[in-house]
Structures are given as structure tokens and as C-alpha cells.
Amino acid sequence: MRGFVWASLMVILGCGGESREGSAAVNDAVAPRHETEIHERDSAGIRIVESVRPVWAPGRGWRLDDEPSLVIGTEDGPPEYQFYRIGGAHRTPEGSLIVTNAGSSQIRVYDVGGRHVRAMGQRGGGPGEFHQFSGMSLWVGSNGTIHVEDGANDRINAFTIDGALVRTYRLQATEQFPRAFPLAMLSNSEWLAWAPRGGGTLSGAPGSVIESEWAYARYRADGTWVAEVLRAAGRPRLVHQSGSLTHYPYIPLTADPLVAAAGGGFAIWIGPHPEIALRDGAGVVRTLIRWHPTRRRAVSEVWDRFARDDVERITQERDRILYRNLYALSLPLPRDVPVIARLLADANGNLWTEHYRLPWDTVPAWDIFNSEGHWLGELMVPRGLRLLEIGSDHVVARHRDEDGIERVQVYRLVKGP
């Protein structure tokens, strides 16, 4: 991926490739289109799709309703309605909500009106239990089985929505992958997982940079190993010594690769530029999606403000001193600010990329791409909202207010003006 130099985008514009006004496969969106440019070409068997501007005219694309259609969560009240560290959520076809709450090590089920129905799991190390430090990411298989990551116990717990434990299983350890972390469930219920090469050991002389590499592998639905499919560079760290303390902060304004399931394969973004690769289950690149966001920023233009604002956000004085000393160093900063922070796929096969935000960027926004790779447009979401699942006509999100109170919210996804 890093072999595709960003400057090569200019070549596509002059290559005489097909130019179209977008694809009819916008999954029944009714928003009008405006004059746009989408260039497609084939290069050594790889389909390259480049959008110069979005299909949707400003203000004419998809949006969320002004108010959520369902809110679950309270600051005070019954514990089954209090949330802390929401890990994932899923809305069933019948309208029930499944929410993982890592703070209580539970999987909770709510009916269509938001009434608590049942909870599965508890804190512990036995079958169906979760470690207190597990993030409890959630995936739902094609048969409705709920798979929840129990990372600190190095396993996955699977339940039915009725609360029955189906099984507790691990992704098979191999010499190359002694411990793998699940990332995505593919359409055939196989797993895509990652592992740090070399075990992710943190060490080195003060001032040195720790380069990291992630390896990705596919596993069968039962957790048995299939094959390694890709390697990619992760975020580098610095060995930083301040007084008697040594720590290993990430190099600022760098980003790890982002992955989302895409059909039988997966989509992966390897920053910092606006390019997403669609790979098949074997890891072979089939399509490259490129687009031209106007928000591209050079690190040199934002660094002084970023360093000042980031230190001001730190509440502990010891940490403020630590990072003030760090940011005063001559750091090996990247050239460009990453363009995206998260990558999700919706129920119709569209890809959603959340804009990377600097400390002063307050409004969350997403770019949307259809299954053909065409850049449809931008969707804004309320502050404090983190999308967890995107359905065909709704989104499920975690909302965290200024006091840190978490709630689950469902918004209707409106397709049209």
C-alpha cells in the first residue's frame, strides 16, 4: 500500500479513464446528484476508483434525524440502565438492542421500546465470563449468534440472544501469531485478526523510535488458523525519558491501519492519505478507492497549536509536564495529518470513514462511499456521538455527555433532502 505514492493521483486525471456521474448502486438513496467527476481505470488487475468531488450536492445527501428515536441510559437509576465503557451494540431485525457494557462485564438485551430484558455474562474467567479489562467488542453472525471479545482472557464468548452460552473459544495460536486479536467478522463468519510482529515489546535507548508492524491473518469460524494475509506498519513510538521516568508515547499525529469487513473480504486504510484498499479474503487488492477531501492538512501548519491544545487538555499535572517536555523535542513528525480516524461498513455494503479530528475540531463528520467505491458525500453527527453500528435505515451510537455519562442512542438515517 505504501508503494502507491499519493502524488500519483494526478496521473489518473490525465490517463483518459472513464468519467461518470456516480453509480446507480447508491442503495436506493434519493438525494439528487450534482456535476461530479469519478475516474475509473484498471492497473495490473486492480480497479482504481478516484472521486474528485462527492456525488451529493452540499446539503442534499443523507443525514440523521434531529433527535434520536430511542435513548437508553441514565445517570441515576436501576443499574441495568447505567452504562460505563460501552463496547459495542447491535439492533436486531425485530428492533431489539444488544449492548455490551464492559464496566459491568455484561451483554445486555433491550426490547424495541428500550426496556431491559436480560443480561448475559459477568466478571470472571469461567465460560461466558469477561475480564474487567476486556473491551467487549461485539459481532453478530449470520445466524444471529452474538460473539463478544474477551481480550484480557484471550478468547471469545458466543451467546444466543435468549441468553444461552453457545461456546467459549480462542483464535488458534501459531508460531507467527502466538496471540491474535479479532478485528472483523467476514460475511462467511470467518475472522480477520491482527497480531504485533515481534510481540510488541517496548524497549530501546532514550530518543530512539520503535517501529511497529502489524500482521493480519484469517481464521475459520471456529477459530482455527487459515493464513496470514497482510502486513502493515503500525504507529511508531518514541522512547522518551523525562527525569527518572521512561515511557513510550506514540509519535503524535500518526495513525494505525483501520479495517472493516467488506463482503467476503475486507477494506483497509493505511494512512495518512485518502486511499482505501478493498482486499479479498486472501488479502489480494481488488480495488483502490481514492478521493479528494478539502481538509488535507500539513503537520507543519498545525503542530504548534496541536501541542499547546493537547497539553491543556491533560488534567494531571505530572502528565502535563511529561508531555510538555515531549512536545519540546525535535520529534520525527509525519508530513501530513491523517485524513480519517475510523472505518465502518454499513448493512448495504457502503463504507463510512470518520474524519480525523484535531483538538479544536468539535463536530464529528463522516464520508460515505457506495459499494462501487464512489464518494457519495459527507454526513455530520452530533457532538459526543460515536457510531457503533450502521443499518440500512438507522445508526446505533454511544453518546457521552460533558459529565462522562454514557447512553445508547438510535437515530433514523434519512436518505434524501
Side-chain angles (χ1 to χ4, degrees):
M1 286 292 296
R2 294 188 183 275
F4 291 97
V5 180
W6 178 244
S8 67
L9 284 177
M10 301 309 297
V11 176
I12 300 176
L13 294 175
C15 70
E18 182 183 5
S19 179
R20 299 190 289 177
E21 269 202 18
S23 166
V26 185
N27 298 318
D28 300 321
V30 296
R33 296 178 297 176
H34 66 110
E35 184 179 354
T36 185
E37 291 181 76
I38 297 175
H39 301 268
E40 296 190 25
R41 71 183 180 97
D42 185 87
S43 176
I46 298 174
R47 178 172 168 264
I48 299 176
V49 182
E50 182 193 3
S51 297
V52 177
R53 58 181 60 87
V55 172
W56 295 332
R60 306 290 290 180
W62 298 354
R63 60 180 175 83
L64 301 185
D65 261 351
D66 293 336
E67 298 293 334
S69 59
L70 180 66
V71 178
I72 306 174
T74 180
E75 181 177 1
D76 299 307
E80 60 268 26
Y81 295 98
Q82 296 182 30
F83 294 106
Y84 175 58
R85 292 172 50 215
I86 294 171
H90 170 70
R91 188 185 188 200
T92 70
E94 297 75 30
S96 298
L97 275 180
I98 304 166
V99 183
T100 59
N101 187 60
S104 61
S105 300
Q106 290 178 315
I107 305 164
R108 298 176 181 172
V109 180
Y110 300 86
D111 68 15
V112 67
R115 181 180 63 88
H116 181 259
V117 177
R118 69 179 61 87
M120 299 95 82
Q122 61 182 10
R123 187 161 297 165
E129 297 177 339
F130 297 89
H131 194 284
Q132 63 176 322
F133 297 119
S134 290
M136 297 186 67
S137 296
L138 167 72
W139 299 270
V140 178
S142 57
N143 63 355
T145 301
I146 304 162
H147 301 258
V148 180
E149 164 266 336
D150 181 21
N153 282 324
D154 194 21
R155 63 187 188 178
I156 298 167
N157 287 315
F159 296 83
T160 68
I161 195 171
D162 296 325
L165 177 64
V166 177
R167 60 192 172 113
T168 295
Y169 64 105
R170 288 181 165 85
L171 299 182
Q172 180 185 355
T174 68
E175 182 177 352
Q176 300 92 338
F177 281 68
R179 186 184 182 193
F181 302 89
L183 276 175
M185 178 179 282
L186 308 183
S187 61
N188 59 2
S189 294
E190 290 190 339
W191 289 99
L192 182 72
W194 74 276
R197 301 293 298 177
T201 302
L202 300 178
S203 62
S208 61
V209 175
I210 304 172
E211 301 287 350
S212 63
E213 184 181 47
W214 288 15
Y216 298 82
R218 204 169 86 245
Y219 292 79
R220 296 182 182 89
D222 63 0
T224 55
W225 163 272
V226 177
E228 182 178 318
V229 297
L230 176 67
R231 296 186 185 182
R235 295 185 70 184
R237 293 176 181 263
L238 182 76
V239 182
H240 178 224
Q241 189 170 34
S242 178
S244 61
L245 177 66
T246 301
H247 72 135
Y248 307 91
Y250 290 110
I251 300 296
L253 301 173
T254 58
D256 283 321
L258 300 173
V259 169
F266 59 96
I268 183 167
W269 173 79
I270 302 175
H273 298 124
E275 177 179 274
I276 297 170
L278 301 182
R279 295 175 177 258
D280 62 20
V284 178
V285 177
R286 299 302 184 189
T287 300
L288 288 175
I289 299 171
R290 293 167 174 165
W291 70 105
H292 287 222
T294 58
R295 66 184 183 279
R296 291 183 63 205
R297 292 169 284 193
V299 169
S300 60
E301 297 173 354
V302 304
W303 172 246
D304 288 344
R305 184 179 178 185
F306 171 86
R308 181 180 66 252
D309 287 13
D310 197 50
V311 168
E312 289 178 355
R313 293 192 305 171
I314 299 173
T315 57
Q316 299 294 324
E317 183 59 26
R318 189 194 72 162
D319 292 338
R320 287 168 66 95
I321 294 172
L322 187 66
Y323 275 86
R324 190 177 292 115
N325 292 342
L326 173 68
Y327 291 158
L329 300 176
S330 179
L331 298 172
L333 298 172
R335 187 185 69 180
D336 296 312
V337 176
V339 294
I340 70 175
R342 298 181 67 209
L343 174 64
L344 297 177
D346 69 20
N348 291 329
N350 301 307
L351 289 176
W352 294 50
T353 64
E354 184 177 16
H355 295 189
Y356 187 95
R357 284 186 289 158
L358 294 165
W360 54 90
D361 296 328
T362 58
V363 180
W366 294 73
D367 286 313
I368 306 172
F369 304 84
N370 70 7
S371 57
E372 294 296 312
H374 300 167
W375 181 20
L376 300 181
E378 184 179 87
L379 181 142
M380 315 298 285
V381 304
R383 290 186 62 177
L385 205 67
R386 178 179 176 84
L387 302 189
L388 301 175
E389 180 185 68
I390 308 167
S392 59
D393 60 358
H394 70 277
V395 303
V396 184
R398 181 204 72 194
H399 182 268
R400 178 179 288 155
D401 64 22
E402 294 180 354
D403 296 322
I405 306 303
E406 296 181 40
R407 294 176 176 87
V408 178
Q409 298 184 347
V410 179
Y411 281 83
R412 192 168 68 97
L413 181 60
V414 181
K415 298 180 178 179

